[in-house]
Amino acid sequence: MDYFEFKQFRIYHDKCAMKVGTDGVLLGAWAKVDQARRILDIGCGSGLIAIMAAQRCGSETEIVGLEIDAAAAAQAAENAVASPFGDHIKIIQGDVKKFQPDAPFDCIITNPPFFVETTLSPNAQRAMARHTDTLSYEALVVNAKRLMRPDADFQLIVPYANAKTIKSLCALHGLSLARQTDVATKVGATPKRSLLHFVNNIAATKPVQDILTIRDGDGQQTAAYKALTADFYLEKP
């Protein structure tokens, strides 16, 4: 299907390398955005996370979606305009490494490329969206730091196996871990993803850490996952 239907908006993703998926919905629902007044979504793809943030924030919050791929950026802009929140979302086509905003952000969110294999997809658009060749973790952290205010939030989702690398890079650049939620697809399974929330300061506080399980032993969505995504997913008949 060319689109994914949510409670308050529809996301078309036929022109995007990365389709709407669980990772984006998890981050969009989990990220702390309620106090933010300027939010940046790096690599916004179809615009999903930016629009989710807009639904959760007031109209006074300015949200910028930055996307390097021209086709995806155009579709993200169309999705934003068609949503009820388009008046405070701006989509920009560009490379984060060259991005020079008018002012820093107090919240940065990203679902970054994470594959590091040497064999890239023959589809150039998909390879750019999925592989760290176009945006390494180090470049991501360096540029997030450059674009943030002091005490700003930096929140992302990465493969569980890569969380340690991200945490080391963030610590190196003065970002402190505030929260970590590891995500398991089913009860008893090893986590597949980590949701990470850093703050742009050097803090001595102990981070909050927990595990979110998506499905129970019967294959049904857990109460915790339903509660997290309740404002977005349509109820199944």
Side-chain angles (χ1 to χ4, degrees), residues 129-196:
R130 292 171 64 85
H131 290 262
T132 57
D133 290 55
T134 53
L135 182 63
S136 70
Y137 283 150
E138 183 172 12
L140 174 64
V141 172
V142 166
N143 283 281
K145 174 77 174 185
R146 175 177 66 86
L147 296 167
M148 280 192 287
R149 298 181 188 277
D151 295 318
D153 299 300
F154 175 48
Q155 299 168 91
L156 69 165
I157 185 167
V158 296
Y160 176 72
N162 296 357
K164 186 175 181 180
T165 298
I166 288 286
K167 290 192 286 186
S168 295
L169 285 167
C170 284
L172 183 65
H173 292 282
L175 305 178
S176 300
L177 182 66
R179 289 188 299 153
Q180 177 173 343
T181 296
D182 296 324
V183 182
T185 55
K186 59 183 179 180
V187 172
T190 300
K192 297 291 187 183
R193 297 286 186 267
S194 290
L195 291 154
L196 303 171

Side-chain angles (χ1 to χ4, degrees), residues 28-190:
W30 180 87
K32 178 180 178 292
V33 298
D34 54 307
Q35 300 297 316
R37 289 298 172 262
R38 270 179 61 81
I39 298 174
L40 174 64
D41 176 9
I42 298 174
C44 69
S46 63
L48 169 64
I49 295 171
I51 296 171
M52 290 178 73
Q55 178 180 319
R56 297 176 58 201
C57 296
S59 58
E60 69 279 2
T61 300
E62 179 185 1
I63 298 170
V64 175
L66 182 66
E67 172 56 49
I68 194 170
D69 181 71
Q75 188 152 60
E78 292 169 0
N79 287 331
V81 169
S83 78
F85 321 106
D87 59 344
H88 59 119
I89 302 173
K90 182 179 182 181
I91 305 297
I92 297 173
Q93 193 264 316
D95 184 340
V96 68
K97 297 189 289 291
K98 301 176 182 177
F99 183 47
Q100 298 291 339
D102 295 334
F105 295 88
D106 48 26
C107 178
I108 294 180
I109 310 173
T110 183
N111 177 11
F114 55 76
F115 283 115
V116 294
E117 293 89 346
T118 55
T119 303
L120 299 182
S121 167
N123 181 317
Q125 185 193 35
R126 188 166 176 81
M128 181 166 58
R130 292 171 64 85
H131 290 262
T132 57
D133 290 55
T134 53
L135 182 63
S136 70
Y137 283 150
E138 183 172 12
L140 174 64
V141 172
V142 166
N143 283 281
K145 174 77 174 185
R146 175 177 66 86
L147 296 167
M148 280 192 287
R149 298 181 188 277
D151 295 318
D153 299 300
F154 175 48
Q155 299 168 91
L156 69 165
I157 185 167
V158 296
Y160 176 72
N162 296 357
K164 186 175 181 180
T165 298
I166 288 286
K167 290 192 286 186
S168 295
L169 285 167
C170 284
L172 183 65
H173 292 282
L175 305 178
S176 300
L177 182 66
R179 289 188 299 153
Q180 177 173 343
T181 296
D182 296 324
V183 182
T185 55
K186 59 183 179 180
V187 172
T190 300

